Amino acid sequence: MDKHYKWDVIVRITHWAVAGLFFANYFVTEEGSEIHEWVGYCIIGSIVIRLVWGMVTRSPARLSAFKPSVTQAVTHLSEVISTRVDASVGHNPAGAVMIWLMWCGLLATAVTGWMAHVELMGYKDGLKEIHEVFANLTFIAVAIHICAVIVMSRWTNRSYLSGMLK
Protein backbone atom coordinates (compact mmCIF):
# COMPACT_ATOMS: atom_id res chain seq x y z
CA MET A 1 0.00 0.00 0.00
CA ASP A 2 1.36 3.41 -0.95
CA LYS A 3 1.17 5.86 1.93
CA HIS A 4 2.34 9.14 0.52
CA TYR A 5 2.17 12.61 1.92
CA LYS A 6 0.00 15.02 -0.05
CA TRP A 7 1.64 18.43 -0.19
CA ASP A 8 -0.57 21.46 0.40
CA VAL A 9 -1.67 23.69 -2.46
CA ILE A 10 0.93 26.43 -1.77
CA VAL A 11 3.80 23.93 -1.90
CA ARG A 12 2.45 22.30 -5.06
CA ILE A 13 1.85 25.59 -6.89
CA THR A 14 5.25 27.05 -6.00
CA HIS A 15 7.03 23.77 -6.80
CA TRP A 16 5.53 23.45 -10.27
CA ALA A 17 5.81 27.18 -10.97
CA VAL A 18 9.53 27.16 -10.16
CA ALA A 19 10.07 23.93 -12.10
CA GLY A 20 8.27 25.18 -15.20
CA LEU A 21 9.79 28.64 -15.09
CA PHE A 22 13.31 27.29 -14.57
CA PHE A 23 13.00 24.92 -17.52
CA ALA A 24 11.52 27.73 -19.64
CA ASN A 25 14.45 30.00 -18.83
CA TYR A 26 17.01 27.26 -19.28
CA PHE A 27 15.73 25.85 -22.56
CA VAL A 28 13.30 28.30 -24.19
CA THR A 29 13.85 31.98 -23.49
CA GLU A 30 16.70 33.91 -25.01
CA GLU A 31 19.47 34.68 -22.52
CA GLY A 32 19.36 38.29 -21.42
CA SER A 33 15.98 38.97 -23.05
CA GLU A 34 13.28 40.84 -21.20
CA ILE A 35 11.18 37.68 -20.99
CA HIS A 36 14.18 35.80 -19.54
CA GLU A 37 14.52 38.49 -16.87
CA TRP A 38 10.82 38.47 -15.98
CA VAL A 39 10.76 34.69 -15.76
CA GLY A 40 13.70 34.98 -13.35
CA TYR A 41 11.79 37.50 -11.25
CA CYS A 42 8.80 35.12 -11.17
CA ILE A 43 11.11 32.33 -9.98
CA ILE A 44 12.35 34.55 -7.15
CA GLY A 45 8.78 35.51 -6.28
CA SER A 46 7.69 31.87 -6.17
CA ILE A 47 10.63 30.91 -3.95
CA VAL A 48 9.93 33.84 -1.61
CA ILE A 49 6.27 32.78 -1.35
CA ARG A 50 7.38 29.22 -0.55
CA LEU A 51 9.91 30.37 2.04
CA VAL A 52 7.38 32.66 3.74
CA TRP A 53 4.86 29.79 3.69
CA GLY A 54 7.53 27.57 5.22
CA MET A 55 7.86 29.99 8.13
CA VAL A 56 4.14 30.20 8.93
CA THR A 57 2.69 26.76 8.17
CA ARG A 58 2.46 24.04 10.80
CA SER A 59 2.77 21.18 8.30
CA PRO A 60 5.80 19.12 7.16
CA ALA A 61 6.33 21.99 4.67
CA ARG A 62 7.56 24.12 7.58
CA LEU A 63 11.21 25.05 6.98
CA SER A 64 12.26 23.89 10.43
CA ALA A 65 10.82 20.45 9.64
CA PHE A 66 13.52 19.71 7.09
CA LYS A 67 16.78 21.29 8.10
CA PRO A 68 19.52 20.15 5.74
CA SER A 69 22.04 17.70 7.17
CA VAL A 70 24.41 15.76 4.95
CA THR A 71 25.10 13.32 7.80
CA GLN A 72 21.39 12.61 8.28
CA ALA A 73 20.94 12.33 4.49
CA VAL A 74 23.70 9.71 4.19
CA THR A 75 22.35 7.77 7.18
CA HIS A 76 18.83 7.90 5.74
CA LEU A 77 19.95 6.73 2.30
CA SER A 78 21.89 3.85 3.88
CA GLU A 79 18.76 2.78 5.77
CA VAL A 80 16.60 3.03 2.65
CA ILE A 81 19.09 1.01 0.61
CA SER A 82 19.16 -1.77 3.20
CA THR A 83 15.44 -1.81 4.12
CA ARG A 84 13.78 -0.52 0.92
CA VAL A 85 11.54 1.55 3.22
CA ASP A 86 11.25 5.32 3.55
CA ALA A 87 8.85 6.17 6.38
CA SER A 88 9.49 9.92 6.17
CA VAL A 89 6.53 12.27 6.07
CA GLY A 90 7.22 15.25 3.86
CA HIS A 91 10.86 15.64 2.85
CA ASN A 92 13.23 12.91 3.88
CA PRO A 93 16.74 13.99 4.99
CA ALA A 94 18.24 13.49 1.51
CA GLY A 95 15.38 15.43 -0.05
CA ALA A 96 15.89 18.22 2.47
CA VAL A 97 19.53 18.64 1.42
CA MET A 98 18.52 18.70 -2.24
CA ILE A 99 15.66 21.18 -1.73
CA TRP A 100 17.92 23.65 0.06
CA LEU A 101 20.65 23.13 -2.54
CA MET A 102 18.21 23.86 -5.38
CA TRP A 103 16.76 26.92 -3.62
CA CYS A 104 20.26 28.30 -3.04
CA GLY A 105 21.22 27.58 -6.64
CA LEU A 106 18.09 29.24 -7.99
CA LEU A 107 18.55 32.31 -5.80
CA ALA A 108 22.27 32.57 -6.67
CA THR A 109 21.37 32.28 -10.36
CA ALA A 110 18.73 34.98 -10.03
CA VAL A 111 20.91 37.36 -8.01
CA THR A 112 23.88 37.05 -10.35
CA GLY A 113 21.60 37.49 -13.35
CA TRP A 114 20.17 40.67 -11.83
CA MET A 115 23.67 41.90 -10.93
CA ALA A 116 24.84 41.35 -14.52
CA HIS A 117 21.76 43.15 -15.83
CA VAL A 118 22.34 46.25 -13.73
CA GLU A 119 26.10 45.99 -14.41
CA LEU A 120 26.86 46.04 -10.71
CA MET A 121 30.47 46.95 -10.02
CA GLY A 122 31.19 47.26 -13.76
CA TYR A 123 31.79 43.52 -14.00
CA LYS A 124 29.01 42.56 -16.42
CA ASP A 125 30.82 39.86 -18.43
CA GLY A 126 32.20 38.13 -15.35
CA LEU A 127 28.80 38.21 -13.67
CA LYS A 128 27.20 36.71 -16.78
CA GLU A 129 29.68 33.84 -16.58
CA ILE A 130 29.01 33.34 -12.88
CA HIS A 131 25.26 33.47 -13.60
CA GLU A 132 25.67 30.75 -16.22
CA VAL A 133 27.72 28.59 -13.85
CA PHE A 134 25.01 28.83 -11.18
CA ALA A 135 22.30 28.05 -13.76
CA ASN A 136 24.22 24.96 -14.90
CA LEU A 137 24.89 23.80 -11.33
CA THR A 138 21.20 24.27 -10.54
CA PHE A 139 20.28 22.27 -13.63
CA ILE A 140 22.55 19.45 -12.45
CA ALA A 141 20.88 19.54 -9.01
CA VAL A 142 17.44 19.45 -10.66
CA ALA A 143 18.46 16.49 -12.82
CA ILE A 144 19.73 14.63 -9.73
CA HIS A 145 16.48 15.50 -7.93
CA ILE A 146 14.35 14.09 -10.76
CA CYS A 147 16.48 10.95 -10.99
CA ALA A 148 16.33 10.49 -7.21
CA VAL A 149 12.54 10.74 -7.22
CA ILE A 150 12.37 8.07 -9.93
CA VAL A 151 14.94 5.75 -8.35
CA MET A 152 13.57 6.13 -4.81
CA SER A 153 10.01 5.56 -6.04
CA ARG A 154 11.05 2.30 -7.68
CA TRP A 155 13.34 1.21 -4.83
CA THR A 156 10.78 1.80 -2.06
CA ASN A 157 7.66 1.11 -4.14
CA ARG A 158 6.38 4.48 -2.92
CA SER A 159 5.19 7.22 -5.26
CA TYR A 160 7.02 10.40 -4.31
CA LEU A 161 5.53 12.27 -7.26
CA SER A 162 1.89 11.61 -6.40
CA GLY A 163 2.05 13.91 -3.36
CA MET A 164 2.97 16.77 -5.69
CA LEU A 165 0.21 16.01 -8.18
CA LYS A 166 -2.97 15.37 -6.22
Side-chain angles (χ1 to χ4, degrees):
M1 182 166 83
D2 181 23
K3 296 178 182 178
H4 63 272
Y5 177 74
K6 179 184 173 191
W7 291 101
D8 62 65
V9 69
I10 301 294
V11 171
R12 291 193 320 259
I13 288 172
T14 56
H15 174 272
W16 292 113
V18 169
L21 292 166
F22 178 75
F23 278 103
N25 251 7
Y26 198 86
F27 292 112
V28 179
T29 65
E30 183 179 334
E31 293 177 19
S33 69
E34 190 171 342
I35 290 176
H36 185 84
E37 292 173 27
W38 280 103
V39 169
Y41 297 142
C42 290
I43 291 170
I44 293 171
S46 296
I47 292 171
V48 167
I49 290 168
R50 174 59 182 93
L51 292 173
V52 169
W53 179 246
M55 289 186 275
V56 300
T57 188
R58 297 287 180 210
S59 73
R62 186 168 184 82
L63 299 180
S64 62
F66 59 99
K67 296 175 183 170
S69 166
V70 173
T71 304
Q72 288 178 356
V74 170
T75 300
H76 175 76
L77 288 173
S78 295
E79 289 172 4
V80 170
I81 288 168
S82 65
T83 65
R84 297 180 81 97
V85 174
D86 181 2
S88 300
V89 176
H91 292 105
N92 64 42
V97 170
M98 184 54 72
I99 297 305
W100 285 100
L101 182 65
M102 287 187 294
W103 282 342
C104 289
L106 287 162
L107 291 172
T109 302
V111 168
T112 55
W114 172 79
M115 290 170 65
H117 174 72
V118 297
E119 298 185 41
L120 195 64
M121 300 180 291
Y123 193 59
K124 184 175 184 168
D125 290 336
L127 287 167
K128 281 184 178 181
E129 292 297 320
I130 294 168
H131 172 72
E132 190 172 321
V133 166
F134 278 123
N136 290 331
L137 289 172
T138 302
F139 180 78
I140 292 167
V142 168
I144 293 169
H145 171 64
I146 292 168
C147 290
V149 167
I150 293 166
V151 168
M152 289 285 288
S153 292
R154 289 182 176 263
W155 187 257
T156 63
N157 199 28
R158 172 184 174 182
S159 176
Y160 290 86
L161 185 59
S162 62
M164 274 294 176
L165 295 174
K166 300 175 185 180

